[in-house]
Amino acid sequence: MAHYREQLRKATITAVTGLTTTSTRVESAPVYNLADDMSPTLAVWARRSTPDYEAGQMQCAPQWAVEIIVEGYVKTFAGLLDTLDDIASEVETAIYSNSALLALCNNYIELGEQNIETDIDGDKALGKIELVFNMYYHAAEGSPDVKV
């Protein structure tokens, strides 16, 4: 079975696939070179996971916080910031309305920072929005693929 962090990442990818703005353009790692025909697109990945033994159900089953990053990339001049905001709205709605994803983390997802960056890439503007979602679950030590 896959590490629980991977299960959360894949469930997030499923939740955000098919949005109005990004359609099925969803990558499972950060995007470093966005082709024109891939705009707009999303990237979903896990930046870190941290155990919290004090919040654990028992000493050997810490509560894990997994930081899932959803990045939206847009390459255009027209409506760049509006498209990034649309992506943020659609992603947040998709994540909080996906029952399978919510079940994986016991309905405990916290929305973190949202950061926007813009740059020029040739004859187009490149925009990126980073959305941070903290997802929580309990797992026993030595069994990173099983939620308790």
Side-chain angles (χ1 to χ4, degrees):
M1 185 172 237
H3 192 286
Y4 211 78
R5 179 179 50 245
E6 180 182 349
Q7 293 177 52
L8 289 171
R9 181 176 45 82
K10 287 182 175 181
T12 303
I13 289 170
T14 298
V16 299
T17 298
L19 301 180
T20 301
T21 53
T22 55
S23 185
T24 59
R25 293 179 301 275
V26 181
E27 302 295 322
S28 60
V31 174
Y32 297 105
N33 187 11
L34 182 64
D36 289 348
D37 64 344
M38 287 297 293
S39 176
T41 195
L42 294 175
V44 178
W45 51 286
R47 181 164 34 213
R48 71 176 55 95
S49 54
T50 308
D52 181 351
Y53 284 89
E54 290 182 17
Q57 296 171 340
M58 58 191 103
Q59 187 169 355
C60 295
Q63 175 176 279
W64 284 88
V66 178
E67 191 175 78
I68 298 290
I69 307 301
V70 180
E71 293 176 328
Y73 299 91
V74 178
K75 198 175 201 180
T76 185
F77 273 118
L80 177 69
L81 294 176
D82 289 343
T83 304
L84 291 172
D85 284 337
D86 291 344
I87 289 171
S89 177
E90 291 176 12
V91 165
E92 187 175 340
T93 300
I95 285 176
Y96 282 101
S97 64
N98 187 285
S99 59
L101 178 58
L102 290 168
L104 283 173
C105 48
N106 300 321
N107 294 314
Y108 191 12
I109 299 175
E110 290 180 340
L111 179 61
E113 290 185 338
Q114 296 186 13
N115 300 297
I116 292 178
E117 297 176 19
T118 60
D119 201 355
I120 300 294
D121 185 19
D123 63 341
K124 296 187 176 165
L126 179 61
K128 177 178 95 170
I129 186 163
E130 178 187 82
L131 302 122
V132 178
F133 294 91
N134 295 300
M135 301 182 184
Y136 298 87
Y137 69 96
H138 291 272
E141 291 177 327
S143 298
D145 55 343
V146 180
K147 180 178 80 165
V148 292

